Each structure stands twice: as C-alpha cells, then as structure tokens.
Amino acid sequence: DRELDVRTRAGLPVPLVDLRIVDEDMCEQPRDGVSPGEVVVRAPWLTQGYYRNEAASETLWAGGFLHTSDIGVIGADGYLRITDRIKDVIKTGGEWLSSLQLEDLISRHPAVAEVAVIGIPDTRWGERPLPLVVPKPGQTVDVASLCEHLSAWVERGEISRFALPEQVLMVESIARTSVGKINKKLLREQYHGGIART
C-alpha cells in the first residue's frame, strides 16, 4: 500500500529545486499531505519569463518563485501530490476544494455514470461546488444521496464539509474538449449560478 501511494504521487524535488506549496499570500503551507496550495518552484534552469510580455513574466515570478498554476500537497516525507489546476479549484469557506478529487469520489456513487464538478459563485462562501451528473440508465441522483455518499470521506477528514454540495444537476452529457478532457471553461459558462445558459 505504501509503495502504491508513493508511486501515484508526482515525486520528490531533484537537487537544486526549491519547491513549495503556498497560499494566495505566498505563505508556505504545512507539509502534512492535506493542506493544499499552489505549487511554486525555483531552479537555475527555469525560464525567466514570457517572450516580450513583461507583465505576464512578473505574474509568473511573483514572490520570487515560478508559479505553476498547479494545486498540490506535500507530505511529511517530502513527496508532492498534484491535486488540481488553479483555474479549476473551488474556493469556498476559506478553503480550496479539488474539483478532481470531488469528481473521483462522486463517480463512485452507484447511480453515477459520469460527473464534472465546477465552482459557481456564492455570495456567502465565495464559491460552491456544483456536480453535473450523467446518471446511469434508469437512475437518479439527488443532493441528499450525494451528501450521504460523500459523508464517509468528510468523517475521515479526507475532504472538507464545505465539499458537500447544496445542489446537483443531472445532465444528458458533459462537454469535452477535442482531446476528450472535461471542458470546465465551457461548463462554467453554461452553468453559471447552477442554471444552464443558452
């Protein structure tokens, strides 16, 4: 089990690489394997910036580290696990939720054929997760059954209680890109606020 866990992570930084997990204020996150943040890095061979784009280069190197736009966690053993892309992370209740982790857990629900999770605006919490579910034939999925399904991971501390959705939308299909990835950008445009836009 330990070997499988290690092999499914991104690995250890090689020599001369200073790799950190930071919050939005560039404060380093604990190396506890559960505190997420953006992966930032310094190394002698990294690019100094974007060609003829000084503003983007400054953003890329804000705080003296190259910002990867990946979200991850680092364990006490130093191993990095990438959990999401920063553009797809859901910021709710002062926490970052991985849309990929939620999709993985929700896909284990017996009535779910496919799922995509996006963040939708919320006046109280900033954003809330919205699962878009393609149910298996003859099945339905509601918020109560989904929250009951996810509660086991909340109780074990693997996901935050803020990950429990307040609504779920059943859809016929999930938009994908030309290479078969879930098209989160399009889904956020279509389901802004939980209501499909035409």
Side-chain angles (χ1 to χ4, degrees):
D1 288 344
R2 168 67 178 158
E3 184 176 341
L4 178 62
D5 179 54
V6 168
R7 287 179 179 267
T8 59
R9 297 193 228 171
L12 293 166
V14 298
L16 302 181
V17 172
D18 184 1
L19 186 144
R20 300 180 187 182
I21 301 292
V22 299
D23 65 14
E24 293 172 312
D25 298 318
M26 284 297 291
C27 295
E28 190 168 359
Q29 296 290 80
R31 293 178 172 237
D32 56 10
V34 295
S35 300
E38 184 181 10
V39 180
V40 296
V41 63
R42 284 193 295 214
W45 52 81
L46 295 175
T47 182
Q48 296 303 300
Y50 292 102
Y51 182 65
R52 294 186 179 174
N53 192 337
E54 188 174 328
S57 298
E58 287 179 16
T59 300
L60 179 69
W61 279 94
F65 283 81
L66 185 139
H67 290 252
T68 66
S69 294
D70 288 321
I71 299 295
V73 296
I74 296 179
D77 56 6
Y79 279 86
L80 169 69
R81 180 185 306 279
I82 304 293
T83 58
D84 214 336
R85 291 289 290 164
I86 202 164
K87 63 185 177 183
D88 294 330
V89 78
I90 300 162
K91 298 174 185 174
T92 183
E95 298 187 27
W96 288 0
L97 302 178
S98 167
S99 63
L100 297 178
Q101 183 183 28
L102 281 176
E103 287 165 1
D104 174 53
L105 298 178
I106 292 170
S107 70
R108 301 178 197 185
H109 188 289
V112 172
E114 285 185 272
V115 61
V117 177
I118 58 171
I120 57 171
D122 183 86
T123 53
R124 182 175 181 188
W125 302 111
E127 284 185 314
R128 294 295 299 135
L130 174 66
L132 306 169
V133 173
V134 177
K136 290 180 179 176
Q139 301 285 317
T140 60
V141 181
D142 60 19
V143 173
S145 70
L146 205 54
C147 287
E148 183 180 349
H149 170 74
L150 293 171
S151 64
W153 288 282
V154 172
E155 289 169 11
R156 288 197 298 264
E158 292 183 35
I159 59 173
S160 164
R161 64 181 176 84
F162 287 108
L164 298 177
E166 294 165 351
Q167 60 178 314
V168 59
L169 291 181
M170 288 200 297
V171 295
E172 292 183 5
S173 63
I174 293 172
R176 296 188 179 271
T177 66
S178 60
V179 294
K181 292 184 178 181
I182 294 174
N183 193 335
K184 299 261 177 106
K185 182 178 179 183
L186 179 59
L187 292 176
R188 282 190 291 267
E189 291 171 0
Q190 286 180 321
Y191 295 99
H192 182 81
I195 300 169
R197 292 183 169 186
T198 55

